[in-house]
Amino acid sequence: MSFLIFVDWGMTPILLASRNGIVEMVEKILQLFPMAIHDTNGFNQNIVLMAVENRQSHIYDFLLNRSHLIDKEGAFQAVDRERNNALHLAGKLAGDGYLQRIPTSMLQMQWEVKWYQYVQNSLPPHFVVQRNRGSRRKLRRTPDEIFQIEHQKLEDESKQWLNSTSNSCSFIAALIATVAFASSASVPGGVKQDTGEPVFENHLAFSIFAMASLVALCCSVISLLIFLAIFISKHQDKDFTTNLPRNFLFGLTSLFISMAAMLTCFCSGNFLMLKGQLKYAAILVYALTGLLMAYFVLKHFPLFIDLLKATIRKVPERIYKEYL
């Protein structure tokens, strides 16, 4: 059965390795059989086109940076049966198996834009204006046109997710800013009538309270401004590469810091008001609340890491497909 598949679709071992992201196999085959770079499947796709269409960035980088490949220029300028070059295939929407590995629609859109720009920057400029083959002239499209058409739905979903998330975070940031301002304006224990100095100014808990209220107020205001800026932005394709994810990452970080500072501010202020054995009982309550907050942060920490990776990396991570 495997042999029949190879005959029908021309899936030679090097093409299978390229589609499934096994760069070690691709490297070994090219060492032993350099002419395997010309292998094509039933759609006339070679190893470069297979790597681009399946988002195998490490395969593409390996071929791009390999200086001793036979007819390397011809392999990168190849077109498939429908006259799609590598940039046309990069402009097509990735398969569901790839997109499902990315948690949110915004990150999916970001990786798609980054991958398209990365392939575009590695190819000659005339690839951008080349048109593929269609039944009528109107159906012959450039890579940019294909990208816009294929990613319209994903772009709309990304905008909707980003706006709804920014709206929710803005509400939380505004609430924290309000509470933080009220806390910073009040002094636990009051002030001395003769000098106007705080009664607990020499206590460590009061210093923690004053600093935590300041941090909570500043970070919540910064977070609120960032999310408002995201909410009113135009959300163009190029913004999904760096600007929007970076701003969202900064806003989310500021929001988490303000939440932690607000909790610290409340606990330190409350600690000053307690006496005797109640202080030790309150420590258990503070610790339990801190653990619940830590659980909330850790639960959403994978999204934070994905945002950080997506902001730093230029191309998607290496992905092995689960089928051969």
Side-chain angles (χ1 to χ4, degrees):
M1 182 62 68
S2 298
F3 177 76
L4 293 177
I5 293 176
F6 289 162
V7 172
D8 291 340
W9 300 102
M11 292 301 293
T12 60
I14 193 172
L15 294 177
L16 282 172
S18 177
R19 186 187 69 178
N20 293 281
I22 311 176
V23 66
E24 297 84 1
M25 183 178 293
V26 172
E27 182 179 6
K28 192 64 176 180
I29 292 175
L30 290 177
Q31 288 178 357
L32 299 177
F33 308 101
M35 296 302 296
I37 194 174
H38 297 296
D39 289 358
T40 57
N41 60 7
F43 298 99
N44 200 34
Q45 293 179 345
N46 65 358
I47 183 176
V48 176
L49 298 181
M50 290 286 291
V52 172
E53 185 177 28
N54 291 276
R55 305 303 193 261
Q56 299 296 353
S57 57
H58 53 292
I59 299 288
Y60 187 79
D61 284 338
F62 167 76
L63 298 173
L64 187 65
N65 299 320
R66 193 79 169 186
S67 58
H68 301 293
L69 293 177
I70 297 178
D71 194 17
K72 175 181 176 180
E73 183 178 355
F76 276 85
Q77 294 185 1
V79 294
D80 64 8
R81 192 171 60 185
E82 297 180 355
R83 305 297 298 173
N84 291 310
N85 59 33
L87 195 56
H88 282 105
L89 298 180
K92 292 185 176 181
L93 184 65
D96 293 337
Y98 172 80
L99 294 178
Q100 289 176 357
R101 300 172 182 266
I102 306 175
T104 64
S105 56
M106 185 193 71
L107 290 178
Q108 293 173 1
M109 187 64 186
Q110 182 188 18
W111 282 131
E112 289 290 278
V113 175
K114 278 194 172 186
W115 177 240
Y116 180 80
Q117 292 180 348
Y118 182 77
V119 175
Q120 179 180 351
N121 293 333
S122 64
L123 296 174
H126 67 271
F127 273 54
V128 180
V129 297
Q130 285 184 356
R131 294 183 178 273
N132 58 5
R133 181 171 60 191
S135 58
R136 298 192 304 271
R137 186 175 182 83
K138 293 182 179 180
L139 297 180
R140 296 178 181 178
R141 298 188 174 96
T142 63
D144 286 341
E145 292 173 347
I146 290 180
F147 184 88
Q148 293 295 333
I149 295 173
E150 294 268 340
H151 292 82
Q152 186 61 50
K153 181 179 178 181
L154 180 60
E155 183 179 357
D156 293 339
E157 293 176 354
S158 302
K159 292 178 180 179
Q160 183 179 0
W161 182 89
L162 191 60
N163 288 334
S164 61
T165 306
S166 298
N167 189 23
S168 301
C169 292
S170 298
F171 175 77
I172 298 175
L175 182 61
I176 294 177
T178 303
V179 176
F181 179 79
S183 299
S184 61
S186 61
V187 179
V191 296
K192 300 177 183 178
Q193 295 183 355
D194 52 347
T195 61
E197 297 177 351
V199 175
F200 296 114
E201 63 175 340
N202 296 323
H203 288 71
L204 177 61
F206 182 80
S207 300
I208 296 176
F209 168 84
M211 184 57 66
S213 62
L214 176 63
V215 172
L217 178 61
C218 294
C219 289
S220 60
V221 171
I222 292 174
S223 178
L224 179 61
L225 293 176
I226 292 176
F227 285 121
L228 287 178
I230 293 175
F231 187 76
I232 63 177
S233 63
K234 295 182 180 179
H235 301 342
Q236 298 179 355
D237 292 344
K238 61 182 180 180
D239 294 332
F240 283 96
T241 56
T242 304
N243 293 335
L244 287 176
R246 181 182 57 192
N247 293 339
F248 187 80
L249 182 64
F250 288 160
L252 203 61
T253 303
S254 299
L255 182 60
F256 284 157
I257 294 176
S258 64
M259 292 172 63
M262 193 66 249
L263 178 62
T264 304
C265 175
F266 170 77
C267 293
S268 58
N270 182 261
F271 186 79
L272 290 171
M273 306 304 296
L274 299 177
K275 296 181 179 180
Q277 299 297 327
L278 291 178
K279 287 188 175 183
Y280 300 100
I283 292 177
L284 297 177
V285 178
Y286 303 155
L288 179 60
T289 307
L291 289 176
L292 291 176
M293 182 176 177
Y295 171 77
F296 171 79
V297 173
L298 291 177
K299 185 178 180 180
H300 294 81
F301 194 69
L303 176 60
F304 184 86
I305 295 298
D306 290 333
L307 284 170
L308 187 61
K309 289 182 179 179
T311 305
I312 296 176
R313 294 179 63 90
K314 294 182 179 180
V315 293
E317 294 182 356
R318 177 174 182 168
I319 292 178
Y320 286 107
K321 292 197 172 180
E322 298 176 354
Y323 57 87
L324 292 176

